[in-house]
């Protein structure tokens, strides 16, 4: 029953926009690059395979003076092309590296979006950060925006040594966006309210007081339930998608970054000792991923069902130079067409995106949509 509810919720709760970017291969550097995105040369593009058999796109914005890396999970109705300028601004103003990624079914990533797929997506990105970019767990800050708070907190409960968590306009759960329910229900998705108490690092919560998509009560409750509370930022007059235009937004983020950077060695040692009793929360990623599959492998994967659970074995990368790129046979002069990336979403995705809600449950789950999706209070009023 739980699997059925998750499938229904996924089809009604996710609203991937039309891809805002193209992906092409630089003939000189043999690296992937974003097309149609300003300052795209600042991003290092990778393709990652998840344990659920999908290929997802990620982009890494490097800051030479950084000691911390943000792993950013964006909100609904967005992709890394739309978010790229924000990634660059975060990197420049906070002096951090930023790794952003598209969920399955978003941007040029293949597959269909679902709660479980987003969990597999963020695990693949985390694995890439550790193995390819050699970023230590204790130097990572997880950043979840709105629905991105779901995969962020899921991963945070499994990583006892991460440096911090940032929750921007976060949700308590999918259904709680619509209803004030007392207990978590089986048909709910992203039950952040039940996970936040198990996060063992400093948590910064940022929320707008005038958020008409996800009420500020969500942010306040998440902050209240946090084990290690950091001073929250309640942006007066802030809505769901405009918090970055307020001057206190970056100022407060910078204070948080400096604070977690200065955590004493003693504090870190204590956290490590305490985490020993919570070994069950250690991330278990047994499936290999590859940050540089060939175009031939990607095209082959597109013919396999995206719901297939068995993953095609792929040899781990041995490149030690931290320069993620697609490997290509030098003997092959004519590059394969990049049409795969432009056609990764199936026709059924297009039809599902446009269909109307079929019942009250559908209306409830649509309320998780962000930015360009109104909270469905009007829908309920009409039904009453």
């Amino acid at each position: 029953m739980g699997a059925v509810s998750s499938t229904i919720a996924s089809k009604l709760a996710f609203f991937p926009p039309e891809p805002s970017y193209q992906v092409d291969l630089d003939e000189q550097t043999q690296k992937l690059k974003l097309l149609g995105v300003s300052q795209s040369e600042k991003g290092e593009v990778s393709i990652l395979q998840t344990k659920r058999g999908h290929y997802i796109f990620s982009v890494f914005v490097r800051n030479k003076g950084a000691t911390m890396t943000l792993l950013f999970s964006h909100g609904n109705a967005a992709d890394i092309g739309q978010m790229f300028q924000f990634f660059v601004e975060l990197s420049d103003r906070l002096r951090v590296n930023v790794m952003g990624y598209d969920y399955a079914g978003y941007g040029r990533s293949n597959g269909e979006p679902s709660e479980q797929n987003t969990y597999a997506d963020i695990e693949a990105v985390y694995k890439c950060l550790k193995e390819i970019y050699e970023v230590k767990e204790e130097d990572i800050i997880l950043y979840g925006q709105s629905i991105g708070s779901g995969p962020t907190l899921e991963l945070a409960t499994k990583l006892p040594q991460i440096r911090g968590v940032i929750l921007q306009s976060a949700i308590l759960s999918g259904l709680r966006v619509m209803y004030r329910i007392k207990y978590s229900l089986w048909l709910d998705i992203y039950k952040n309210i039940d996970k936040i108490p198990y996060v063992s690092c400093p948590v910064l919560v940022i929320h707008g007081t005038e958020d008409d998509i996800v009420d500020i009560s969500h942010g306040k409750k998440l902050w209240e339930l946090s084990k290690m509370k950091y001073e929250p930022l309640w942006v007066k007059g802030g809505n769901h998608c405009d918090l970055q235009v307020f001057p206190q937004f970056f100022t407060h983020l910078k204070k948080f970054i400096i604070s977690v950077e200065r955590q004493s060695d003693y504090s870190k040692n204590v956290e490590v000792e305490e985490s020993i009793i919570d070994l069950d929360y250690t991330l278990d990623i047994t499936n290999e991923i590859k940050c540089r599959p060939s175009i031939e492998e990607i095209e082959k994967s597109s013919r396999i069902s995206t719901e297939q659970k068995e993953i095609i074995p792929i040899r781990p990368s041995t490149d030690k130079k931290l320069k993620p790129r697609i490997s290509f046979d030098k003997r092959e002069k004519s590059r394969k067409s990049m049409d795969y990336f432009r056609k990764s979403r199936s026709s059924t995705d297009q039809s599902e995106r446009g269909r109307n809600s079929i019942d009250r449950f559908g209306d409830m789950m649509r309320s998780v949509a962000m930015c360009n999706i109104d909270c469905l209070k009007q829908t309920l009023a009409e039904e009453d």
Side-chain angles (χ1 to χ4, degrees):
M1 191 68 173
V4 174
S5 66
S6 177
T7 300
I8 296 174
S10 297
K11 291 182 178 180
L12 297 174
F14 295 94
F15 295 86
E18 290 298 321
S20 66
Y21 62 95
Q22 300 286 342
V23 181
D24 201 1
L25 180 72
D26 189 301
E27 297 290 352
Q28 295 182 343
T29 64
Q30 292 292 290
K31 295 180 180 179
L32 286 177
K33 60 182 180 181
L34 298 179
L35 297 180
V37 177
S38 178
Q39 302 185 70
S40 61
E41 69 279 359
K42 295 184 178 181
E44 302 172 20
V45 181
S46 299
I47 303 176
L48 312 177
Q49 185 185 12
T50 76
K51 66 182 182 182
R52 294 175 70 88
H54 300 128
Y55 281 105
I56 64 171
F57 281 86
S58 69
V59 61
F60 186 78
V61 180
R62 189 188 299 272
N63 187 303
K64 293 182 179 179
T67 59
M68 297 286 106
T69 297
L70 300 184
L71 198 173
F72 196 103
S73 300
H74 62 69
N76 212 343
D79 62 22
I80 57 175
Q82 296 170 345
M83 298 297 299
F84 188 76
Q85 291 303 305
F86 184 55
F87 294 161
V88 172
E89 190 171 11
L90 284 172
S91 178
D92 291 343
R93 298 184 66 166
L94 304 182
R95 201 177 180 184
V96 295
N97 303 317
V98 180
M99 173 70 98
Y101 67 103
D102 272 335
Y103 315 119
Y106 279 70
R108 297 295 169 183
S109 301
N110 71 350
E112 296 182 0
S114 73
E115 179 185 14
Q116 294 304 317
N117 281 346
T118 61
Y119 295 159
D121 298 338
I122 195 172
E123 286 182 3
V125 178
Y126 169 73
K127 188 175 177 71
C128 181
L129 277 179
K130 288 197 68 176
E131 297 188 353
I132 303 302
Y133 289 98
E134 295 186 348
V135 179
K136 299 178 181 178
E137 179 182 328
E138 57 267 28
D139 293 332
I140 293 175
I141 298 173
L142 302 181
Y143 194 132
Q145 179 190 36
S146 195
I147 203 172
S149 59
T152 291
L153 287 177
E154 172 71 12
L155 184 62
T157 61
K158 300 176 179 179
L159 301 177
Q161 297 181 51
I162 55 171
R163 192 61 68 94
V165 168
I166 300 172
L167 300 176
Q168 178 184 336
S169 306
I171 64 174
L172 285 171
S173 73
L175 285 182
R176 286 177 172 87
V177 173
M178 203 60 195
Y179 294 114
R180 292 188 177 183
I181 55 179
K182 228 176 193 181
Y183 305 103
S184 295
L185 304 177
W186 59 269
L187 49 75
D188 207 351
I189 64 172
Y190 294 132
K191 301 172 187 177
N192 295 336
I193 189 173
D194 300 327
K195 298 175 183 178
I196 190 71
Y198 297 100
V199 176
S200 56
C201 65
V203 176
L204 165 62
V205 179
I206 302 175
H207 217 110
T209 61
E210 303 301 319
D211 193 327
D212 57 359
I213 302 297
V214 180
D215 189 78
I216 192 174
S217 60
H218 288 246
K220 290 185 174 181
K221 187 64 175 180
L222 288 171
W223 181 79
E224 177 187 330
L225 294 174
S226 298
K227 184 186 300 183
M228 298 183 64
K229 301 175 178 65
Y230 185 83
E231 178 187 0
L233 176 61
W234 312 126
V235 183
K236 187 174 181 180
N239 208 307
H240 195 68
C241 302
D242 64 355
L243 302 186
Q244 66 275 11
V245 305
F246 291 83
Q248 63 267 42
F249 178 79
F250 281 102
T251 300
H252 204 79
L253 278 175
K254 185 64 176 178
K255 285 172 56 180
F256 178 73
I257 298 297
I258 293 174
S259 174
V260 296
E261 280 180 334
R262 290 177 177 175
Q263 285 180 351
S264 67
D265 292 336
Y266 172 77
S267 296
K268 287 189 288 184
N269 289 337
V270 170
E271 289 176 7
V272 172
E273 291 174 2
E274 290 178 346
S275 70
I276 293 176
I277 62 175
D278 294 322
L279 293 180
D280 289 341
Y281 287 103
T282 302
L283 182 64
D284 179 18
I285 306 176
T286 57
N287 299 95
E288 294 294 341
I289 67 169
K290 182 180 179 183
C291 286
R292 292 177 292 278
S294 66
I295 292 297
E296 290 85 348
E297 291 171 342
I298 299 171
E299 290 179 340
K300 181 179 179 181
S301 74
S302 68
R303 296 191 295 269
I304 301 176
S305 171
T306 57
E307 297 304 321
Q308 182 177 348
K309 296 183 177 179
E310 182 178 356
I311 299 175
I312 302 172
I314 296 181
R315 184 178 60 189
S317 170
T318 56
D319 188 357
K320 302 298 183 181
K321 297 183 180 181
L322 308 183
K323 296 181 179 179
R325 63 181 181 273
I326 299 298
S327 61
F328 290 84
D329 192 337
K330 295 182 180 179
R331 295 170 297 178
E332 182 176 335
K333 300 298 182 180
S334 59
R335 175 171 50 84
K336 298 283 186 177
S337 169
M338 295 298 291
D339 289 343
Y340 165 77
F341 303 123
R342 303 184 180 93
K343 299 179 180 179
S344 59
R345 184 170 303 115
S346 66
S347 60
T348 55
D349 293 333
Q350 298 291 341
S351 61
E352 286 177 355
R353 199 175 300 134
R355 77 166 183 271
N356 294 324
S357 172
I358 58 173
D359 52 23
R360 287 179 60 87
F361 176 68
D363 290 329
M364 289 190 290
M365 299 315 300
R366 282 185 182 276
S367 65
V368 185
M370 300 158 32
C371 298
N372 61 350
I373 306 296
D374 292 332
C375 193
L376 296 183
K377 294 178 180 177
Q378 182 177 354
T379 302
L380 287 178
E382 292 175 355
E383 289 184 352
D384 292 338

